[in-house]
Every structure is written in structure tokens, then in C-alpha cells.
Amino acid sequence: MLDFYFIQDSQNPSSKDLFLQYGGGIKDELFYQLQAEGIIEPWFDYYGKFRWGSEIVAGMLLKLKRQPQAASLPEEREAFMAILQKAVQEGCGLMGYGD
């Protein structure tokens, strides 16, 4: 599972007193599908740790909304869009932690 946490663009992820709110997660199948579709850039690693700023999150949400409804993984895709939507509403980016 790749877990996402909300983080303000101004927050330092290395801060000792950092507390991040859990946003949700996605499975590897959806992650790789979204990479193949160009929604997630190819250099992001599902099993790694990475950060998407608020502009990246907003751009990904816009790309997903513009795509026709995908036949595969519709529920997972909707859940991921909900994570992105909440981040956009709160003006946050996302930290991803894969395991």
C-alpha cells in the first residue's frame, strides 16, 4: 500500500515535531496504471518516499477529471481522486510512503 499524508507546502518533512494527517492510500495496480496514463510521473517509486506539492496535486486532479471514466479500478480511482480533492481544498500537498 502507498499511504498518503497531507502536508503544507511550507512544512519541512524533516522537522522533529512534524505531524501529518493521514489521507488514504492506493494499491500498486492503480499506481502503475496511473503512471502508464501519464497522471503520475514515471520517476516516482511506489515503494519509496516522495512529496507532491500542492500545484502537482492540483494538476493531477485536473488530469484525472478530464479523462474519460476508466473501465478498470473505478472505485480505487475515485478514492484516489477524493484524496487529491481534499488536499486541493486544504491547500496542501501530499507525502507518499510506500511499503
Side-chain angles (χ1 to χ4, degrees):
M1 179 71 75
L2 175 61
D3 295 313
F4 291 106
Y5 295 84
F6 300 110
I7 185 167
Q8 295 291 327
D9 287 343
S10 61
Q11 276 185 291
N12 180 353
S14 301
S15 175
K16 291 181 181 179
D17 61 343
L18 180 68
F19 173 77
L20 300 176
Q21 179 187 359
Y22 180 71
I26 62 173
K27 295 183 180 177
D28 61 345
E29 187 177 7
L30 178 61
F31 181 86
Y32 295 124
Q33 180 180 354
L34 293 173
Q35 276 190 325
E37 294 172 7
I39 304 296
I40 296 176
E41 298 295 339
W43 54 81
F44 290 110
D45 179 15
Y46 177 83
Y47 295 102
K49 172 183 166 186
F50 56 84
R51 180 177 186 164
W52 293 331
S54 60
E55 288 184 18
I56 292 172
V57 171
M60 290 170 58
L61 181 61
L62 187 61
K63 285 181 188 178
L64 280 167
K65 286 183 175 181
R66 288 182 176 170
Q67 280 190 331
Q69 188 67 2
S72 62
L73 306 172
E75 291 176 18
E76 292 88 347
R77 185 177 289 257
E78 286 296 321
F80 181 59
M81 287 179 68
I83 295 167
L84 296 175
Q85 183 66 50
K86 184 169 182 184
V88 167
Q89 288 172 343
E90 295 186 11
C92 295
L94 293 170
M95 286 288 299
Y97 296 95
D99 57 15

